[in-house]
Amino acid sequence: MGQFPLTLGRFIIRSQSQHPGATGEFSGLLSQIGLVGKVIAHDLRRAGLINILGTTGETNVQGETVKKLDEIANGTFLRAFQQHGLVCALASEEMERMVSLPENWPQGKYMLLFDPLDGSSNTDCNMPLGAIFSVLRYENNDRQPVESDMLKKGLEQVAAGYLLFGSSTMLVYTAGHGVHGFTLEPSIGEYLLSHEQIRIPDRGKVYAANEGNYHKWAPGMQKYVDYLKVSDKATGRPYSGRYSGCLVADVHRVLLGGGVYFYPGETDKPEGKLRLMYEANPLAMVVEQAGGRASTGTMRILEVEPKKLHQRVPLMIGSKQDVETIEAFIQGRS
Ligand code: AHG
Ligand code: MN
Ligand code: MN
């Protein structure tokens, strides 16, 4: 007889019992992320039928067009976390400032940063989407958190992960002891453990990047992409290009099969496009926990000192050796 599947709920309880000091707050937070995933997946499935595709007509703090689904997903995170005593502060790509909870509401010891909908250019064409989350601890009981309390290096994350809305819905997370993936079984509404202790291959054969920006990249970056296209059996080249426009989906492919995702700086945007606090840091923690590497090209993502909430950062992430090769090209060593 096959093994009875392990649900996210059971898995969390099992992991919690391995940490004697655990109060269950973190477990509560993670199952609430799972619930958020179910709600967003439900909205995405029907989006084309109930007039929630397209834009709101507004731009967010990053100057980007806001999709109706960006706003809906952001609202889902807020409603799920504001009132349950799981967190004390929330910040997201879609909100200019950090949100703290009214003083008389129950306060949790965690701060949650999130990208409520990642890859939102994919909403209108039924392509994959994601959501990314980063969990930080707030230690000071004397006062409520302020935005600068959130500006911690990625190394200080307590947990991080993502939801992937693809042909199935997945929750992938790490709490610092490896990376685990759960797939939503829609008929029973449960996440089941489908990928325990994910390990990323040391080298892959796939690269993901928006090559339309090639002429805005630094010479080292251009040289690297040219190198990937040259045929060479010994190093597995040429690599295959695979780019979905959804960071979560592209990183998920690389996490499972190896390879590299990169969004480098550009001549007029040296910091690139992706955000440190709720895109690069959480994915860097996941990928490092799986044995991979995440870099700006010159330093480890998790060691970047954040200066502001919506800070952008160049991101090279994936198999260890592939990221090392990019670093060598960027730093002029190859
Ligand atoms: P978001 O939808 O949260 O703004 O993120 C979009 C990100 C990321 O998901 C993707 O890899 C990248 O931006 C795509 O950018 P380009 O359209 O420039 O390729
Ligand atoms: Mn994003
Ligand atoms: Mn987003």
Side-chain angles (χ1 to χ4, degrees):
M1 202 166 61
Q3 231 186 342
F4 201 75
L6 198 57
T7 62
L8 176 64
R10 293 296 316 160
F11 187 86
I12 293 172
I13 291 169
R14 198 180 76 179
S15 317
Q16 191 186 318
S17 63
Q18 288 159 4
H19 297 94
T23 59
E25 265 181 274
F26 175 68
S27 308
L29 188 149
L30 209 54
S31 33
Q32 198 71 348
I33 296 270
L35 181 59
V36 165
K38 289 184 201 176
V39 174
I40 296 178
H42 176 255
D43 289 336
L44 294 178
R45 267 200 304 277
R46 299 176 309 143
L49 302 171
I50 54 169
N51 192 28
I52 53 171
L53 293 180
T55 61
T56 61
E58 297 190 354
T59 49
N60 67 11
V61 54
Q62 340 268 341
E64 294 162 349
T65 312
V66 178
K67 294 282 181 89
K68 290 181 191 166
L69 282 165
D70 283 322
E71 222 166 68
I72 291 171
N74 192 59
T76 303
F77 269 94
L78 287 182
R79 281 185 288 119
F81 282 100
Q82 268 180 327
Q83 292 201 9
H84 299 279
L86 296 167
V87 300
C88 56
L90 294 151
S92 122
E93 176 187 337
E94 303 300 337
M95 303 187 296
E96 186 167 359
R97 310 234 63 106
M98 182 199 91
V99 172
S100 56
L101 312 190
E103 260 175 71
N104 53 341
W105 286 13
Q107 312 275 328
K109 64 180 174 209
Y110 296 111
M111 303 185 284
L112 183 70
L113 295 100
F114 54 95
D115 175 355
L117 197 63
D118 173 62
S120 41
S121 76
N122 284 357
T123 50
D124 300 353
C125 53
N126 202 10
M127 295 269 291
L129 289 145
I132 312 172
F133 63 93
S134 164
V135 183
L136 295 167
R137 189 173 284 125
Y138 182 58
E139 321 266 3
N140 186 344
N141 290 323
D142 303 339
R143 60 166 177 82
Q144 283 202 285
V146 293
E147 205 163 283
S148 57
D149 294 314
M150 281 195 157
L151 300 181
K152 297 187 181 194
K153 288 182 186 178
L155 276 176
E156 295 190 47
Q157 291 172 109
V158 179
Y162 57 82
L163 291 154
L164 170 58
F165 309 106
S167 46
S168 57
T169 297
M170 286 192 74
L171 168 61
V172 175
Y173 85 95
T174 179
H177 304 278
V179 181
H180 310 291
F182 298 81
T183 302
L184 182 63
E185 163 55 273
S187 58
I188 53 171
E190 290 274 8
Y191 290 91
L192 304 179
L193 181 64
S194 51
H195 298 69
E196 193 170 8
Q197 281 294 359
I198 299 172
R199 301 300 296 169
I200 181 169
D202 280 343
R203 187 173 275 285
K205 287 176 179 300
V206 163
Y207 73 100
N210 182 346
E211 262 191 276
N213 296 323
Y214 180 91
H215 289 290
K216 300 188 215 163
W217 293 346
M221 206 61 230
Q222 295 177 336
K223 224 172 123 189
Y224 172 70
V225 172
D226 298 341
Y227 160 90
L228 290 179
K229 295 174 183 171
V230 175
S231 207
D232 176 49
K233 254 203 170 124
T235 48
R237 288 177 290 147
Y239 274 35
S240 291
R242 293 281 185 275
Y243 189 69
S244 72
C246 169
L247 171 68
V248 167
D250 289 323
V251 168
H252 185 68
R253 179 201 294 279
V254 160
L255 183 72
L256 298 185
V260 66
Y261 172 101
F262 47 93
Y263 208 113
E266 295 168 6
T267 32
D268 52 343
K269 274 198 293 184
E271 302 306 320
K273 175 179 187 189
L274 300 173
R275 277 64 45 124
L276 175 65
M277 301 300 288
Y278 40 81
E279 290 181 317
N281 270 343
L283 294 179
M285 182 176 181
V286 168
V287 166
E288 281 202 6
Q289 279 290 319
R293 189 173 173 94
S295 166
T296 65
T298 50
M299 75 181 287
R300 188 177 172 203
I301 290 284
L302 295 181
E303 287 175 11
V304 173
E305 187 89 57
K307 304 246 165 5
K308 52 180 191 191
L309 193 55
H310 298 292
Q311 182 166 331
R312 294 177 195 261
V313 73
L315 176 67
M316 332 276 144
I317 186 166
S319 291
K320 193 164 171 290
Q321 290 171 16
D322 286 307
V323 175
E324 283 167 358
T325 305
I326 300 194
E327 290 173 320
F329 273 92
I330 290 183
Q331 295 166 23
R333 292 184 275 112
S334 270

